[in-house]
Amino acid sequence: MKFFIDTANVEEIQEAASLGILDGVTTNPTLLAREKGKGDFKDMLKKICEIVQGPVSAEVVGDDAKTMVVEARKLAKIDKHIVIKVPLTMEGLKAIGMLKAEGIGTNATLVFSPTQAILAAKAGASFLSPFVGRLDDASHYGMDLIRQIATIYENYEYETEVIVASVRNPLHVVEAALAGADIVTIPFKVIGQMIKHPLTDIGVKKFLDDWKKLGAEI
Ligand code: G3P
């Protein structure tokens, strides 16, 4: 399973990349707005691409397919690693097909149902982003959707890669892996939670204390 980080914060991306586990980045307008005041968003996306050297999602905001495609072309020019996030609406679906014809990679986003997932794959989306956390928030089991999509995509050998998105905690990552998701996009905080274990901390402290008793040097 590939790990993407779900942030537009360059420092967080640098830190995650230094862990040697980072395969890509997902951003959205909300995440970019959090970085307001830190420079031009296109420069920020370029820097992120240079750090990651893998797929970096940037989202279009146009109302219709034609506008989305115009925006997508501009975003795609920033770097060869840019993938265009397109909301799975009627117009978004049209835009996905049009961008595929131009050889521009897409990430169908704001996906909440298996029907949306089927349509995105049929239209030729490179990636699909079902939002598990927001489904959980609405009293639906987000991971049930991932399992359904995994089965459907396997049945028909669809090439669209599933990115489990709107991840809120480490259990989402475990369940994504059990469901066979291709990718999980994780907020920086959750990466920290995945690493941390109290028994590890206790063990490190005990070994350090005992090493001091030995009085040796490595
Ligand atoms: O990748 C999509 C993600 O950014 C949405 O997360 O927490 O806003 O539902 P959230």
Side-chain angles (χ1 to χ4, degrees):
M1 187 167 67
K2 283 179 266 185
F3 276 10
F4 289 5
I5 188 167
D6 197 27
T7 183
N9 182 283
V10 172
E11 290 76 33
E12 287 182 354
I13 292 165
Q14 267 163 339
E15 183 69 12
S18 75
L19 298 173
I21 50 117
L22 196 59
D23 300 300
V25 174
T26 48
T27 72
N28 61 34
T30 304
L31 295 172
L32 281 167
R34 276 187 206 153
E35 306 308 311
K36 188 172 154 68
K38 295 190 184 167
D40 179 70
F41 88 96
K42 286 184 184 165
D43 294 339
M44 213 177 278
L45 286 170
K46 179 77 187 164
K47 177 119 209 257
I48 291 170
C49 289
E50 282 163 8
I51 298 167
V52 180
Q53 296 295 314
V56 174
S57 290
E59 191 155 341
V60 289
V61 290
D63 282 338
D64 55 87
K66 219 170 128 191
T67 311
M68 287 179 195
V69 169
V70 170
E71 291 174 347
R73 286 186 193 130
K74 289 186 197 164
L75 291 171
K77 277 204 186 101
I78 295 172
D79 191 278
K80 66 175 182 192
H81 292 104
I82 293 284
V83 170
I84 310 302
K85 245 184 175 182
V86 182
L88 206 288
T89 58
M90 192 87 82
E91 291 303 305
L93 203 57
K94 288 182 205 165
I96 288 167
M98 288 154 81
L99 291 169
K100 185 179 167 62
E102 293 189 21
I104 297 176
T106 52
N107 175 357
T109 191
L110 288 165
V111 168
F112 295 95
S113 76
T115 52
Q116 291 178 315
I118 293 168
L119 291 167
K122 294 279 289 178
S126 324
F127 299 96
L128 179 88
S129 291
F131 279 28
V132 294
R134 292 192 196 182
L135 278 170
D136 288 352
D137 292 345
S139 306
H140 293 279
Y141 288 109
M143 280 298 159
D144 282 351
L145 174 62
I146 303 302
R147 285 183 278 272
Q148 286 178 319
I149 295 170
T151 303
I152 293 165
Y153 277 22
E154 205 179 306
N155 285 349
Y156 297 100
E157 296 178 4
Y158 287 140
E159 283 171 14
T160 304
E161 289 186 78
V162 178
I163 306 176
V164 176
S166 183
V167 160
R168 303 277 167 78
N169 57 61
L171 281 178
H172 277 150
V173 180
V174 174
E175 289 190 68
L178 287 170
D182 301 293
I183 302 158
V184 62
T185 188
I186 316 170
F188 184 72
K189 180 183 158 209
V190 175
I191 297 177
Q193 290 172 326
M194 287 167 66
I195 296 168
K196 187 98 180 142
H197 198 290
L199 289 177
T200 305
D201 295 342
I202 291 165
V204 166
K205 186 179 179 316
K206 170 91 174 99
F207 284 155
L208 198 63
D209 289 347
D210 290 343
W211 183 257
K212 281 183 191 148
K213 285 181 205 157
L214 182 67
E217 273 181 37
I218 296 175

